[in-house]
Amino acid sequence: MTTCYIILAFLLNVFLNDDHHDKHIDRSVAAIDYNLSAPDKIYILPDVLREISGITETDASSVACVQDEKGILFIYDLLKEKIKQQYHFSNNGDYEGITRVDKTIYILRSDGMLFEIPSYESANSIIKSYATGIPAKDNEGLCYDQKSNRLLIAPKSNSTKDSDNKNKRFIYAFDLKSKKLIKKPLFVFNLKAIEKFASENKFKVPMKSGKKGDKKDPDIEFRPSAIGIHPLTNKLFLLSGMEKLLFVFNMNGETEYIEKLDPELFPQPEGITFLKNGDMLISNENNKPTILKFNYLKK
């Protein structure tokens, strides 16, 4: 009987220790179901894409890309790890965002001009362009909001000189039925509220230097370089490339998560997209450009 009690106590101790260990493995992985410190695949891109500025999935094994110098649409094969097609859609320019809506590709130029490429795989595709009139000059983030049939556009800079909006950032919606920008911002993010959230939840973010050189308060610039909507959770993922920060919001605009990205893996994160199964892809501009794949862990 004594031997049974000893064995039972040993097994109970192992169980409790394992449970305690599991709760502290990595809070960040559990929060978003991606391990951003360990890519499941790293794609080394050809030199022509070293200025890669946006990506969007086209199917389970391909992504469409743009780079911020040439009006060329690139289709990259994830299985063969090479560019399989490319199409000229406009003159050279600062192209920053890209997203797919069924067989149509939309590309965002930094001045807010949208290019529509229907049946993008067809040589006879007639390209249209739309001057959105977005009140910002430096626009980088673009994604498709399928539930509301609209495109979301995220300016990198503040879209107004009003001092009351100095600490605010905006995301606008482009209605795909009317092909017009909705003038009122869809999301208004308050930097002070985001910094408060980061502080209360002890997220690792850039910090302000105090009078004595100590760093106590978050110092978040929040300059969107890419946005995407998760296909399974409908959460809004946003990259601030210059800060190497990933933000996650719900569709009410409430902050749910922030993670500081490893600069060795993310030298300049400029693009984000998701495969239908939830796997996430993030692209990096660099002398050695990359796409990092992170498997969705909640399957």
Side-chain angles (χ1 to χ4, degrees), residues 27 41 57 63 73 87 90 92 125 132 179 188 218 224 260 272 285 293:
R27 190 165 64 96
K41 175 71 177 178
E57 65 83 31
V63 293
L73 171 66
Y87 310 92
S90 188
N92 291 350
S125 184
T132 62
K179 299 295 175 68
V188 179
K260 179 70 174 174
I272 188 169
E285 288 188 18
K293 181 183 178 184

Side-chain angles (χ1 to χ4, degrees), residues 26 48 170 268 276 278:
D26 192 331
V48 69
F170 306 94
Q268 193 173 342
K276 289 182 179 179

Side-chain angles (χ1 to χ4, degrees), residues 65-174:
C65 320
V66 286
Q67 57 117 307
D68 62 9
E69 292 180 345
K70 300 181 182 298
I72 301 175
L73 171 66
F74 299 90
I75 308 297
Y76 184 82
D77 191 313
L78 297 170
L79 297 179
K80 297 181 179 179
E81 300 186 31
K82 66 177 185 179
I83 295 170
K84 64 179 181 180
Q85 291 170 310
Q86 59 186 63
Y87 310 92
H88 286 266
F89 65 89
S90 188
N91 299 326
N92 291 350
D94 188 10
Y95 302 99
E96 295 290 348
I98 183 171
T99 195
R100 180 181 66 84
V101 180
D102 299 324
K103 290 293 184 180
T104 299
I105 292 286
Y106 288 90
I107 294 170
L108 175 68
R109 201 167 64 192
S110 63
D111 61 0
M113 183 69 74
L114 268 177
F115 294 83
E116 179 187 75
I117 311 174
S119 303
Y120 65 92
E121 293 180 318
S122 171
N124 299 319
S125 184
I126 299 175
I127 299 168
K128 297 180 181 179
S129 60
Y130 304 92
T132 62
I134 192 168
K137 295 180 180 180
D138 196 4
N139 302 282
E140 294 204 1
L142 180 70
C143 73
Y144 176 44
D145 180 0
Q146 184 176 11
K147 288 191 173 182
S148 299
N149 192 36
R150 61 194 177 189
L151 304 180
L152 304 189
I153 300 174
K156 187 176 181 180
S157 58
N158 200 323
S159 57
T160 175
K161 294 181 180 179
D162 187 345
S163 59
D164 292 338
N165 290 325
K166 180 179 65 174
N167 292 315
K168 294 179 181 178
R169 301 289 183 268
F170 306 94
I171 290 182
Y172 294 86
F174 182 84

Side-chain angles (χ1 to χ4, degrees), residues 226-292:
I227 54 174
I229 295 176
H230 197 285
L232 302 178
T233 67
N234 205 43
K235 303 294 185 183
L236 178 68
F237 282 59
L238 185 149
L239 289 171
S240 181
M242 62 176 287
E243 301 172 288
K244 298 173 180 55
L245 289 175
L246 173 73
F247 298 85
V248 180
F249 303 93
N250 61 32
M251 293 306 281
N252 292 320
E254 298 165 332
T255 314
E256 294 195 349
Y257 182 73
I258 305 172
E259 183 163 343
K260 179 70 174 174
L261 303 175
D262 181 354
E264 293 293 324
L265 288 172
F266 302 90
Q268 193 173 342
E270 294 284 334
I272 188 169
T273 192
F274 297 91
L275 302 183
K276 289 182 179 179
N277 66 358
D279 292 351
M280 179 169 63
L281 301 169
I282 295 178
S283 61
N284 289 277
E285 288 188 18
N286 199 5
N287 289 331
K288 292 183 179 180
T290 59
I291 293 177
L292 309 182

